[in-house]
Short mmCIF file of all heavy atoms in Angstrom, two decimals:
data_model
loop_
_atom_site.label_atom_id
_atom_site.label_comp_id
_atom_site.label_asym_id
_atom_site.label_seq_id
_atom_site.Cartn_x
_atom_site.Cartn_y
_atom_site.Cartn_z
N CYS F 151 -58.18 -57.36 100.41
CA CYS F 151 -57.51 -56.13 100.30
C CYS F 151 -56.29 -56.11 101.35
O CYS F 151 -56.46 -56.63 102.44
CB CYS F 151 -58.44 -54.98 100.77
SG CYS F 151 -59.87 -54.74 99.72
N ASP F 152 -55.22 -55.51 100.93
CA ASP F 152 -54.11 -55.32 101.84
C ASP F 152 -53.89 -53.98 102.27
O ASP F 152 -52.92 -53.63 102.94
CB ASP F 152 -52.87 -56.10 101.29
CG ASP F 152 -52.53 -55.85 99.84
OD1 ASP F 152 -53.27 -54.98 99.29
OD2 ASP F 152 -51.66 -56.45 99.36
N LEU F 153 -54.62 -53.00 101.69
CA LEU F 153 -54.57 -51.63 102.10
C LEU F 153 -55.92 -51.14 102.02
O LEU F 153 -56.64 -51.26 100.98
CB LEU F 153 -53.60 -50.83 101.08
CG LEU F 153 -53.66 -49.34 101.50
CD1 LEU F 153 -52.68 -49.13 102.81
CD2 LEU F 153 -53.07 -48.44 100.44
N TRP F 154 -56.46 -50.49 103.10
CA TRP F 154 -57.77 -49.95 103.11
C TRP F 154 -57.72 -48.41 103.12
O TRP F 154 -57.21 -47.80 104.11
CB TRP F 154 -58.48 -50.44 104.29
CG TRP F 154 -59.91 -49.96 104.60
CD1 TRP F 154 -60.70 -49.43 103.70
CD2 TRP F 154 -60.61 -50.03 105.79
NE1 TRP F 154 -61.93 -49.13 104.19
CE2 TRP F 154 -61.89 -49.47 105.51
CE3 TRP F 154 -60.36 -50.51 107.12
CZ2 TRP F 154 -62.93 -49.40 106.50
CZ3 TRP F 154 -61.37 -50.43 108.08
CH2 TRP F 154 -62.66 -49.87 107.75
N ILE F 155 -58.13 -47.82 102.06
CA ILE F 155 -58.16 -46.36 101.92
C ILE F 155 -59.46 -45.75 102.44
O ILE F 155 -60.52 -46.36 102.05
CB ILE F 155 -57.80 -45.85 100.51
CG1 ILE F 155 -56.53 -46.46 100.18
CG2 ILE F 155 -57.93 -44.39 100.39
CD1 ILE F 155 -56.20 -46.32 98.57
N THR F 156 -59.51 -44.77 103.29
CA THR F 156 -60.75 -44.27 103.86
C THR F 156 -60.83 -42.76 103.57
O THR F 156 -59.82 -42.10 103.31
CB THR F 156 -60.85 -44.57 105.31
OG1 THR F 156 -60.19 -43.49 106.04
CG2 THR F 156 -60.34 -45.87 105.75
N GLY F 157 -61.97 -42.12 103.83
CA GLY F 157 -62.16 -40.76 103.65
C GLY F 157 -62.26 -40.06 105.05
O GLY F 157 -62.86 -39.00 105.15
N LEU F 158 -61.72 -40.66 106.12
CA LEU F 158 -61.72 -40.08 107.40
C LEU F 158 -60.96 -38.75 107.48
O LEU F 158 -59.95 -38.59 106.79
CB LEU F 158 -61.12 -41.07 108.39
CG LEU F 158 -61.79 -42.40 108.67
CD1 LEU F 158 -61.08 -43.17 109.78
CD2 LEU F 158 -63.20 -42.33 109.03
N ARG F 159 -61.53 -37.83 108.22
CA ARG F 159 -60.92 -36.61 108.49
C ARG F 159 -60.73 -36.46 110.03
O ARG F 159 -61.67 -36.84 110.72
CB ARG F 159 -61.77 -35.41 107.93
CG ARG F 159 -61.54 -35.21 106.45
CD ARG F 159 -62.14 -33.92 105.96
NE ARG F 159 -63.55 -33.74 106.41
CZ ARG F 159 -63.84 -32.97 107.42
NH1 ARG F 159 -63.01 -32.24 108.11
NH2 ARG F 159 -65.15 -32.80 107.78
N GLY F 160 -59.68 -35.79 110.39
CA GLY F 160 -59.35 -35.60 111.92
C GLY F 160 -60.41 -34.82 112.60
O GLY F 160 -60.71 -35.19 113.78
N ASP F 161 -61.03 -33.74 111.99
CA ASP F 161 -61.96 -32.99 112.70
C ASP F 161 -63.34 -33.43 112.66
O ASP F 161 -64.30 -32.65 112.99
CB ASP F 161 -61.78 -31.41 112.35
CG ASP F 161 -62.25 -31.15 110.89
OD1 ASP F 161 -62.84 -32.01 110.30
OD2 ASP F 161 -62.08 -29.97 110.53
N GLN F 162 -63.62 -34.57 112.19
CA GLN F 162 -64.94 -35.12 112.15
C GLN F 162 -65.45 -35.52 113.56
O GLN F 162 -66.65 -35.50 113.80
CB GLN F 162 -65.05 -36.43 111.21
CG GLN F 162 -65.06 -36.06 109.71
CD GLN F 162 -64.90 -37.24 108.89
OE1 GLN F 162 -64.18 -38.26 109.26
NE2 GLN F 162 -65.60 -37.28 107.85
N SER F 163 -64.54 -35.93 114.41
CA SER F 163 -64.93 -36.29 115.76
C SER F 163 -63.77 -36.36 116.58
O SER F 163 -62.60 -36.47 116.05
CB SER F 163 -65.71 -37.68 115.70
OG SER F 163 -64.74 -38.70 115.41
#
Side-chain angles (χ1 to χ4, degrees):
C151 299
D152 47 2
L153 179 77
W154 178 17
I155 300 166
T156 84
L158 297 182
R159 286 190 305 103
D161 67 8
Q162 284 171 324
S163 69

